Amino acid sequence: MPDLLDWLAMGGYAWFVWPSYLIGLAVLAANLCLPVMRHRRLLRRGAAEEGGR
Amino acid sequence: MFNAFASLLRRDLSAALHIQSNWLMPVAFFTIIISLFPLGVDANPALMQRFAPGVIWVAALLAGLLSLERAFKDDFDNGSLEQWLITPHGVYPFALARIVAHWCITGLPFTLLAPFYGYLLGLPAHSLAAAVFSLALGTPVLSALGAVGAALTGCLRGGEMLMALLVLPFYVPLLVFGANAMDMAAAGLPAGAALAILGALFIVALLLAPLAVAAALKVMLD
Amino acid sequence: MLDATKRYASLPSFYRLCGRLFAWLLPATVALFAAGLVWGLYLAPADYKQGEAYRIMFIHVPSAWMSLLVYMVMAAAGAVALVWRVKLAELIHIECAPVGASFTALTLATGMLWGKPMWGAFWVWDARLTSELILLFLYLGVIALYAAIPDRRKAARATAVLAIVGVVNIPVIHYSVIWWNTLHQGPTVTRLDAPAAHISILAPLLFMAVVFKLYFITVLLARLRGSIAEQCRAQQWFRDEAAGRA
């Protein structure tokens, strides 16, 4: 447990290291998820139009 | 090819000089920007001398943009660009003439006014020659790079702001080296290094920018 | 070879290729990224000079490299689009821009968070961060110009011209910013540098750099699949594809 807290404290730089990684993960995840969601939306719409004919 | 360029340049210049506001506006704008800085910062001579090179260059960059947005607008509207695309000379002399004409109504008067405004801003007399050289070498690059932005945005509605966004980042080297040449001269140091780089940019920009302008015009007319 | 190029340059087959590759690359990227995080945040030793703060480097530096590399890819694809008018190249060219802009913004954000403990301020007009800021403006210019032109194909070729002009200008801009920075050196001189190039720190950094490249390919494939779907949404082959999935 003290080991974990020690690691989370990042030698006193926790307020800089963790936000960096958090922002990084958020940006990278958004870059991946947005196009996948857009593609799914288009597929759904395409399927609906094809079925409606 | 040279004849085509010369006749184009003559036509562009007479068109620009015919309307008074065309050549008066950039100079007026240049003057106003420069006179605003001492009011906004401080009119203390020692301080003004520190920021004078940067102020003159920022004013030249912004005032140069002002008349750039119209550079190709009329050609897009009246269809004369299509004709240039099919002439045997190609678009190169046309683009170069536009760049030189733009420089004649912006860069040239700015260069001539620079020592006077530099003096008003407290630059020492021995640095005023460097001010002339720095603007004389830098402002043609300004016109050349600006023409690329003008060609890309000329036929768009509300293209002026967009053109500023496209072109201003490309002006960073001009600002740095141009202001640095004046800075060095004001401090009594040799300004040759920055001026030499400006000279290199001058040659490369005038060789390559017309090609980029031609490519941009071709794309936009498709 | 030419046959294969032709086959995959046609949008429907490239669309399917994107889907297959993405299904493989996504889990690989996520797994390798997680491994890189463990390596960088836990296994790598603390730097003797910067302490634990240097760990920001494992995300900052690969991101900075990518911000430049993506611009090169964007300009190269743009050149192909201009010369040969390949539609696929136009799509690759323009899909690079938002990804590159996000890498640039990430580099700036992490650079500021790294700068605060090292310089004492979030922003000190350091040469590399300033260049990165101008690079962000270049990306924004490409995105704004693309948005301003209604015809998608014309827009892509216009931004291709802009990106090629940008590639020629980037070295000059970068050099001018360094020149400016050495003349107006601020009060702090500590730089955001890879600390001592010790192997235990260098190895996870290079690993992360490779993972970022893989990540870029994955994202680019996902974006291409989305934009092909968008452009072909009214075409029969895409509707068949969509109906087959549902």
Side-chain angles (χ1 to χ4, degrees):
Chain A
M1 204 56 196
D3 275 3
L4 180 71
L5 284 179
D6 220 30
W7 178 65
L8 284 176
M10 276 289 154
Y13 293 116
W15 279 107
F16 306 105
V17 175
W18 294 115
S20 293
Y21 278 82
L22 226 66
I23 294 171
L25 281 177
V27 169
L28 298 185
N31 263 338
L32 262 179
C33 292
L34 292 177
V36 170
M37 277 156 58
R38 174 189 180 208
H39 180 237
R40 283 209 184 128
R41 204 169 48 237
L42 287 162
L43 275 181
R44 265 202 307 278
R45 203 188 298 158
E49 279 167 16
E50 182 68 12
R53 275 194 321 143
Chain B
M1 171 134 170
F2 182 76
N3 286 339
F5 168 76
S7 67
L8 272 167
L9 180 60
R10 213 171 307 126
R11 198 199 64 185
D12 284 353
L13 276 180
S14 65
L17 295 177
H18 188 67
I19 304 168
Q20 211 169 33
S21 68
N22 272 357
W23 55 272
L24 215 56
M25 281 290 276
V27 174
F29 199 55
F30 181 65
T31 309
I32 289 171
I33 297 176
I34 287 181
S35 58
L36 285 181
F37 271 90
L39 297 174
V41 188
D42 195 341
N44 167 8
L47 209 62
M48 276 207 299
Q49 190 192 325
R50 287 289 301 133
F51 68 64
V55 167
I56 292 176
W57 259 105
V58 169
L61 300 184
L62 295 179
L65 276 183
L66 189 70
S67 50
L68 205 56
E69 42 126 346
R70 283 193 314 268
F72 297 104
K73 208 156 217 154
D74 296 339
D75 305 285
F76 277 117
D77 292 345
N78 65 22
S80 60
L81 271 178
E82 276 95 339
Q83 290 174 357
W84 275 106
L85 285 177
I86 52 170
T87 55
H89 306 296
V91 202
Y92 194 100
F94 174 78
L96 191 64
R98 266 306 138 84
I99 292 168
V100 176
H102 175 261
W103 180 76
C104 287
I105 59 163
T106 57
L108 181 63
F110 299 168
T111 307
L112 297 177
L113 285 171
F116 178 59
Y117 290 163
Y119 176 75
L120 292 185
L121 288 174
L123 281 181
H126 58 84
S127 70
L128 296 180
V132 172
F133 280 121
S134 119
L135 273 118
L137 287 171
T139 47
V141 185
L142 187 161
S143 300
L145 285 172
V148 181
L152 284 171
T153 57
C155 62
L156 304 175
R157 214 170 294 129
E160 301 85 31
M161 288 305 289
L162 180 59
M163 192 190 64
L165 174 66
L166 301 190
V167 165
L168 282 175
F170 291 149
Y171 285 170
V172 168
L174 293 179
L175 182 62
V176 169
F177 295 120
N180 179 243
M182 281 194 242
D183 240 353
M184 297 290 257
L189 299 166
L195 287 178
I197 295 171
L198 279 179
L201 292 180
F202 170 84
I203 294 167
V204 174
L206 283 190
L207 282 176
L208 295 184
L211 294 176
V213 171
L217 290 176
K218 258 180 216 154
V219 167
M220 297 311 287
L221 279 173
D222 249 2
Chain C
M1 173 63 200
L2 196 67
D3 254 23
T5 322
K6 257 197 195 129
R7 206 174 123 224
Y8 283 118
S10 93
L11 292 187
S13 38
F14 189 80
Y15 171 84
R16 287 179 201 114
L17 180 71
C18 279
R20 278 203 299 280
L21 284 177
F22 182 73
W24 275 98
L25 278 173
L26 182 65
T29 309
V30 172
L32 287 175
F33 192 77
L37 282 183
V38 173
W39 198 352
L41 279 171
Y42 185 70
L43 297 177
D47 180 54
Y48 73 98
K49 227 161 56 192
Q50 300 190 14
E52 308 280 355
Y54 91 97
R55 292 185 196 280
I56 295 171
M57 176 183 76
F58 295 126
I59 209 150
H60 173 78
V61 172
S63 181
W65 285 342
M66 287 313 290
S67 66
L68 268 177
L69 182 74
V70 173
Y71 202 96
M72 304 294 159
V73 174
M74 182 172 79
V80 173
L82 271 182
V83 177
W84 289 290
R85 302 202 169 205
V86 186
K87 187 157 186 190
L88 183 58
E90 287 169 14
L91 290 179
I92 293 175
H93 159 74
I94 200 61
E95 291 305 329
C96 278
V99 189
S102 70
F103 278 129
T104 315
L106 179 57
T107 308
L108 284 171
T110 51
M112 286 167 78
L113 283 166
W114 194 4
K116 181 68 180 167
M118 292 301 115
W119 296 326
F122 283 114
W123 189 263
V124 295
W125 296 101
D126 157 76
R128 266 179 282 180
L129 277 186
T130 309
S131 294
E132 201 69 19
L133 182 66
I134 296 164
L135 184 63
L136 182 63
F137 296 150
L138 294 183
Y139 274 119
L140 293 181
V142 168
I143 294 170
L145 181 62
Y146 185 74
I149 301 176
D151 178 356
R152 300 292 75 186
R153 296 205 66 179
K154 188 195 269 191
R157 277 183 290 125
T159 54
V161 174
L162 185 66
I164 292 165
V165 175
V167 154
V168 177
N169 262 290
I170 283 174
V172 184
I173 293 174
H174 186 64
Y175 178 67
S176 76
V177 173
I178 290 172
W179 172 289
W180 160 79
N181 193 244
T182 46
L183 287 167
H184 306 269
Q185 189 63 262
T188 41
V189 262
T190 335
R191 279 164 180 272
L192 296 189
D193 239 330
H198 190 263
I199 190 72
S200 59
I201 286 172
L202 205 60
L205 178 64
L206 292 178
F207 180 78
M208 266 310 222
V210 173
V211 175
F212 265 65
K213 286 185 181 63
L214 197 67
Y215 166 84
F216 169 60
I217 296 172
T218 313
V219 167
L220 191 62
L221 288 174
R223 294 193 70 92
L224 283 171
R225 201 168 54 145
S227 68
I228 292 174
E230 177 95 54
Q231 300 210 342
C232 302
R233 64 182 183 275
Q235 289 175 16
Q236 193 55 47
W237 71 264
F238 178 72
R239 292 183 165 191
D240 290 344
E241 191 89 9
R245 291 284 186 87

